[in-house]
Amino acid sequence: MSSHRKHTHHLYLIKHQSLRWLLGFVLVLLNGCMTSIEDYEHTEPKFDLFQFFDGKSQAWGMVQDYRGRQVRRFDVELHGVITGNQLVLTEDFVFDNNETQQRVWTITKQENGRYIGTADDVVGEAVGHEKGNALQWQYVLAIDIDGTTHHVDFEDWMFYQNNNQLFNVAKMKKWGITVGTVTLFFQK
């Protein structure tokens, strides 16, 4: 191999190794920057999912696509009934095009601020964890788009503002890529 080719090959290896190191470093930084439910352990006021959703409440919100463009708006009437360690929460949606949808959650309280939830359009179980003023849900939702069902991962964060108000931001992901965001405001 000529001297020039060896030098070019050596530069290629250095660039390739540098790029791998840089990408690895960025991934470590991103993982370190991700929010954890533990970050909210000492925040006030303390959130109690069952207490907030016991009885009637209402919400309004929007769906944004991956570019941040608003693509849907909706209102929700909610009614929660607690029996023992279970909350049955009925959500009646009315979208800006007058389409209606109902989701009925059955949420079971576990130990240490944990919850398990099911609904007809949730694939498997939703897993929730509550700390301080926050609750994080993770689940897969089956969404119908033009007659085709798509399974979309939801990372859902609820933030308790006060006795009467709750904020909710959910990232929708497909193959790990954010494809949209749902933002809701709840009023007791």
Side-chain angles (χ1 to χ4, degrees):
M1 187 182 293
S2 75
S3 166
H4 176 70
R5 290 177 86 191
K6 284 182 183 180
H7 180 71
T8 303
H9 181 68
H10 182 70
L11 286 176
Y12 170 79
L13 288 176
I14 290 172
K15 285 180 184 179
H16 183 70
Q17 288 172 343
S18 296
L19 182 59
R20 281 187 19 208
W21 179 86
L22 180 61
L23 287 173
F25 181 71
V26 168
L27 287 174
V28 167
L29 281 177
L30 288 175
N31 278 337
C33 294
M34 297 179 93
T35 302
S36 165
I37 191 66
E38 303 301 327
D39 295 338
Y40 297 95
E41 185 166 6
H42 301 293
T43 57
E44 296 283 339
K46 299 290 184 200
F47 181 44
D48 183 319
L49 179 73
F50 278 29
Q51 182 180 349
F52 188 86
F53 286 110
D54 185 21
K56 293 187 179 201
S57 55
Q58 61 184 12
W60 57 99
M62 67 176 174
V63 179
Q64 294 171 277
D65 66 13
Y66 67 96
R67 296 173 291 190
R69 185 183 66 186
Q70 183 186 64
V71 294
R72 291 192 96 174
R73 296 182 317 274
F74 55 88
D75 294 323
V76 191
E77 294 291 327
L78 301 100
H79 185 253
V81 177
I82 298 171
T83 306
N85 69 338
Q86 279 197 332
L87 166 67
V88 175
L89 182 63
T90 303
E91 301 174 322
D92 289 308
F93 292 83
V94 178
F95 291 91
D96 54 338
N97 64 355
N98 292 321
E99 177 188 342
T100 61
Q101 183 181 39
Q102 185 179 73
R103 178 174 298 118
V104 179
W105 284 96
T106 300
I107 301 170
T108 304
K109 189 180 284 193
Q110 308 289 304
E111 294 180 1
N112 300 321
R114 296 186 184 274
Y115 298 91
I116 299 292
T118 59
D120 286 343
D121 54 354
V122 172
V123 178
E125 294 180 328
V127 177
H129 194 183
E130 184 178 80
K131 289 272 188 182
N133 77 324
L135 173 79
Q136 181 192 27
W137 279 109
Q138 292 183 322
Y139 54 95
V140 177
L141 194 64
I143 299 174
D144 180 62
I145 300 173
D146 298 327
T148 302
T149 301
H150 298 271
H151 290 184
V152 179
D153 297 321
F154 271 69
E155 183 178 350
D156 206 334
W157 285 87
M158 294 181 166
F159 299 99
Y160 185 52
Q161 180 71 9
N162 59 44
N163 292 335
N164 299 317
Q165 297 170 329
L166 178 68
F167 305 117
N168 187 180
V169 178
K171 295 287 185 191
M172 299 182 295
K173 296 182 179 188
K174 188 73 174 173
W175 302 299
I177 298 169
T178 300
V179 295
T181 304
V182 179
T183 306
L184 292 109
F185 301 95
F186 293 90
Q187 181 80 40
K188 183 84 172 146

